Amino acid sequence: MTSISAASLASMQTLDTLDTLDTPAALIDVSRMQHNIRRMQERMDALGVRLRPHVKTSKCMEVARAQAAAGATGVTVSTLKEAARCFDDGVTDILYAVGMVASKLPAALALRRRGCALKIVTDSVASAQAIVAFGAEYGETFDVWIEIDTDGHRSGIRPEEDALLEVARTLHEGGARLGGVMTHAGSSYEFDTPQALAAIAEQERAGCVRAAARLRDAGLPCPVVSVGSTPTALSARHLEGVTEVRAGVYVFFDLVMHNIGVCTIDELALSVLTTVIGHQTDKGWAIVDAGWMAMSRDRGTGKQRRDFGYGQVCGIDGSVMPGYVLSGANQEHGILSREGEPDRDIATRFPIGTLLRILPNHACATGAQFPEYHAVSPTGDVAVWPRLHGW
Amino acid sequence: MTSISAASLASMQTLDTLDTLDTPAALIDVSRMQHNIRRMQERMDALGVRLRPHVKTSKCMEVARAQAAAGATGVTVSTLKEAARCFDDGVTDILYAVGMVASKLPAALALRRRGCALKIVTDSVASAQAIVAFGAEYGETFDVWIEIDTDGHRSGIRPEEDALLEVARTLHEGGARLGGVMTHAGSSYEFDTPQALAAIAEQERAGCVRAAARLRDAGLPCPVVSVGSTPTALSARHLEGVTEVRAGVYVFFDLVMHNIGVCTIDELALSVLTTVIGHQTDKGWAIVDAGWMAMSRDRGTGKQRRDFGYGQVCGIDGSVMPGYVLSGANQEHGILSREGEPDRDIATRFPIGTLLRILPNHACATGAQFPEYHAVSPTGDVAVWPRLHGW
């Protein structure tokens, strides 16, 4: 089904098998991951835009390398630690997509001095002033993108605001390189029909393109128009005027994305391997060793059309067991039960020692609970892929 | 206000100050932590029981050493990785308080062979059989405690169940050392009046003592009677028949514990240092660099009498700013707002670059998001205290 990048293969020495792994463990189904990477890359190729994957989901170089091998251009990061790790791994085109503040400029400068083509973002005159002042002091021309707010979700300047030109002029006249505009329609997570998703994708596109047009109309440069979220990337009908798309969670997908409707459940590439450690038969509970420390506290499906509790239960082979979910979680204990009528045969269905996989609500949050992934190849070999932790 | 243990002092070299730390960072107020440690230890001393702190909250040896220095006896752990780390740090009396399964016995054996007085727990005949069979095969006498269910919250055998004696006989006659009974009334988190908390504490005590009595009446040994949770430990009127108490989160406390009513807000010893990175003035939002990756996805106060969102905002000095909370969180962005009427002066109240502390809902979950704590001494010195991650 899949071709694995040379880099991935190189690190895929057989270290273990699923039967002998310590649990809980974060498993990547490498076939599914490669399928997801190809799916998004082919779509972006067809739409005529570059893809700049967000590594905040995986925080893992083996995954980022597979994305690059499939055709991605550069990376998006959510922390300067991710930026430094990517740069150490040979990635130079890096967008740090969180608003820059003065206290983080020395770290950004250090990366640029090492040869990293780091891009930073701002959405305020105050931060723009800090960037140009620091750049002037240290003789550095920062590459700065302006963050645009296209859906009222979080940060950014609305496309029609006066502040857009103020910030742009502060940067441009202050000696920074005005690299472009970027936006993220995070509210796309709130929709679950193709029509609504296409509409929010168009809103994201049109708003960011409009912001770029305003800059250009004012005689200011705006080479890059960067948009994206996984739901909008997979729902946009066209991306006219956009030069690149950023998306993160598509690489693994998760139950939240499944509920939104942009993936099928057999595209979910991340799961948590767990062991049954006990039962409360009268309640129809099996107790497993994946609690919230393994699954994370993310209950993202709680407000969606289908609530999966802390995750969907699957067999060790990845086959979904309909109706069985992690209905509760303590730190190192998960409560596995059947939706609706309790399963009084739970102890015979899932004897102590049974290995299961749990599909998570939110891949970014669940991955963060683990120091490493166990990447399962199509032949069943398991390799350890480390991931970043902290800032 | 506080005396710091010699071990803590030794590692408290001045490395940084709050003003120069990278954000987000997990801060421990060492004075408050020492106060909390003393408070619980003195209470346990007065009640005539040993205290076996649960290191799952801090996962940090500097914290565990401070608890031991104040009089704690041994530790409770939630993973075998915590057990190994504690043993490497010189702790030998370790209770692994999650139900044992066959696949984890080799790791438990390895620890015992190294000289660790590891205790393990079970609540089923199947696991008891696995333990004695493995012990017989490797010539090891495991020290096993039986988990008792005193509140229907999670795992364990109810005090009056036949299974209690079956499991006990399986262990005792199979050659294991029957070390005692243990319970955790996790449902104590659902109460918030002194009366209800005292009642659940008494239920936890009485149920565990009853289970011990049944074992002894049947001619079986039961030297240890171990109970505990932070709310019940701080609410029990007496602990007759109990030999030790386990508790974890008291060392830091958190907003959930504050809502339960077992601590005041100025006893909260863990906070997240964050920087203001932007605003949406019309909405009364400040954007900070502590999102859910820093705070965790724990929304434990969401169902309590006071919902603090993702956390209570404090000044850099720790002073609570009433009404200001993290009302939303994306991965690396927190949304800070005032409850009720939006604060249109948010940008002047919290200019870009402002450093704040956020008190978390759940200290165990927030701590887990960080590779290390920054421990702030009474004089303002900051030391790095590493913590465990993963399994």
Side-chain angles (χ1 to χ4, degrees), chain B residues 3-26:
Chain B
S3 68
I4 300 169
S5 74
S8 297
L9 268 178
S11 64
M12 182 134 350
Q13 299 144 352
T14 303
L15 297 175
D16 232 322
T17 66
L18 287 192
D19 291 343
T20 60
L21 280 185
D22 288 337
T23 58

Side-chain angles (χ1 to χ4, degrees), chain B residues 95-389:
Chain B
L95 171 67
Y96 171 49
V98 178
M100 179 51 65
V101 283
S103 57
K104 297 185 184 185
L105 282 166
L109 176 67
L111 273 169
R112 288 186 63 90
R113 287 280 160 87
R114 291 173 62 202
C116 178
L118 182 73
K119 286 90 176 160
I120 59 179
V121 307
T122 185
D123 67 354
S124 69
V125 171
S127 284
Q129 286 171 337
I131 293 165
V132 298
F134 187 86
E137 184 176 357
Y138 289 93
E140 183 67 34
T141 303
F142 283 103
D143 192 335
V144 191
W145 298 6
I146 300 177
E147 185 167 10
I148 307 300
D149 177 11
T150 50
D151 67 343
H153 176 65
R154 188 168 75 192
S155 301
I157 303 170
R158 286 186 297 279
E160 303 296 347
E161 269 186 277
D162 294 343
L164 175 62
L165 295 180
E166 284 177 63
V167 170
R169 290 200 178 102
T170 301
L171 293 167
H172 186 64
E173 293 161 13
R177 178 175 183 276
L178 192 48
V181 287
M182 59 83 77
T183 193
H184 165 64
S187 63
S188 61
Y189 280 48
E190 294 158 22
F191 302 103
D192 61 3
T193 66
Q195 296 73 14
L197 288 163
I200 185 71
E202 174 55 17
Q203 181 179 320
E204 181 185 58
R205 182 204 70 81
C208 205
V209 168
R210 169 69 185 140
R214 284 191 67 213
L215 294 182
R216 292 168 188 148
D217 287 350
L220 293 158
C222 186
V224 171
V225 179
S226 175
V227 305
S229 73
T230 288
T232 53
L234 293 172
S235 304
R237 295 199 173 130
H238 71 89
L239 286 173
E240 225 175 282
V242 167
T243 64
E244 67 165 44
V245 165
R246 307 179 325 280
V249 77
Y250 77 90
V251 73
F252 295 149
F253 285 124
D254 53 28
L255 294 170
V256 164
M257 288 296 130
H258 168 261
N259 274 340
I260 288 171
V262 293
C263 66
T264 60
I265 204 152
D266 60 7
E267 290 180 308
L268 271 57
L270 180 70
S271 62
V272 172
L273 184 71
T274 188
T275 304
V276 176
I277 63 171
H279 303 98
Q280 295 288 14
T281 310
D282 55 332
K283 296 176 184 156
W285 290 358
I287 310 291
V288 299
D289 68 356
W292 62 252
M293 187 61 84
M295 301 308 301
S296 89
R297 269 293 194 199
D298 199 289
R299 286 283 291 105
T301 60
K303 294 161 301 193
Q304 292 186 308
R305 56 178 157 184
R306 172 95 190 266
D307 183 354
F308 287 94
Y310 283 89
Q312 168 66 53
V313 177
C314 301
I316 180 71
D317 62 352
S319 57
V320 173
M321 309 186 78
Y324 289 90
V325 297
L326 277 201
S327 50
N330 296 162
Q331 186 159 338
E332 297 289 351
H333 297 78
I335 295 174
L336 186 168
S337 64
R338 187 166 67 189
E339 296 168 301
E341 186 69 17
D343 180 0
R344 311 286 179 194
D345 296 327
I346 197 92
T348 47
R349 192 179 312 276
F350 301 109
I352 289 177
T354 303
L355 287 169
L356 299 167
R357 294 195 200 193
I358 314 292
L359 299 173
N361 287 321
H362 187 176
C364 310
T366 300
Q369 304 300 107
F370 292 84
E372 73 276 310
Y373 301 106
H374 287 86
V376 185
S377 80
T379 57
D381 293 345
V382 179
V384 174
W385 288 359
R387 49 166 290 146
L388 286 182
H389 186 218

Side-chain angles (χ1 to χ4, degrees), chain A residues 102-364:
Chain A
S103 56
K104 297 186 184 185
L105 282 166
L109 177 67
L111 273 170
R112 289 186 63 89
R113 287 279 161 87
R114 292 173 60 202
C116 177
L118 181 74
K119 287 88 177 161
I120 59 178
V121 307
T122 184
D123 67 354
S124 70
V125 171
S127 284
Q129 285 170 337
I131 292 165
V132 298
F134 187 86
E137 185 175 355
Y138 290 93
E140 183 67 34
T141 304
F142 283 103
D143 192 335
V144 190
W145 299 5
I146 300 178
E147 184 167 10
I148 307 300
D149 177 11
T150 49
D151 68 343
H153 176 65
R154 187 168 76 194
S155 301
I157 303 170
R158 287 186 296 280
E160 303 296 347
E161 269 185 277
D162 295 343
L164 175 62
L165 295 179
E166 284 177 64
V167 171
R169 290 199 179 101
T170 302
L171 293 168
H172 186 64
E173 291 160 15
R177 178 175 183 275
L178 191 49
V181 286
M182 58 83 76
T183 193
H184 165 64
S187 62
S188 61
Y189 280 47
E190 294 158 23
F191 302 103
D192 62 4
T193 65
Q195 295 74 16
L197 289 162
I200 185 72
E202 174 55 18
Q203 182 180 319
E204 181 185 59
R205 182 203 70 82
C208 205
V209 168
R210 170 66 185 144
R214 284 191 67 213
L215 295 182
R216 291 167 187 151
D217 289 350
L220 291 159
C222 186
V224 171
V225 179
S226 175
V227 305
S229 74
T230 288
T232 53
L234 294 172
S235 305
R237 296 200 172 130
H238 70 88
L239 287 173
E240 225 176 280
V242 168
T243 65
E244 68 164 44
V245 165
R246 307 179 325 280
V249 77
Y250 77 89
V251 72
F252 295 148
F253 286 124
D254 54 28
L255 293 170
V256 164
M257 288 295 131
H258 169 261
N259 274 340
I260 288 171
V262 293
C263 66
T264 60
I265 204 152
D266 60 6
E267 289 180 309
L268 270 59
L270 181 69
S271 62
V272 172
L273 184 71
T274 188
T275 304
V276 175
I277 63 171
H279 303 97
Q280 294 288 13
T281 310
D282 55 331
K283 295 175 183 155
W285 289 0
I287 310 291
V288 299
D289 69 354
W292 62 252
M293 186 61 84
M295 301 308 302
S296 90
R297 270 292 194 199
D298 199 289
R299 286 282 292 104
T301 60
K303 293 162 300 193
Q304 292 186 308
R305 55 177 160 183
R306 172 95 192 266
D307 183 353
F308 288 93
Y310 282 90
Q312 167 68 52
V313 177
C314 302
I316 179 70
D317 61 351
S319 56
V320 173
M321 309 186 79
Y324 288 91
V325 297
L326 278 200
S327 51
N330 296 162
Q331 186 158 337
E332 297 289 351
H333 297 78
I335 295 174
L336 185 169
S337 64
R338 187 167 66 190
E339 296 169 300
E341 185 69 15
D343 180 0
R344 312 285 179 195
D345 296 327
I346 197 91
T348 48
R349 194 180 309 278
F350 301 110
I352 289 177
T354 303
L355 287 168
L356 299 167
R357 294 195 200 192
I358 314 293
L359 299 173
N361 286 322
H362 188 175
C364 310

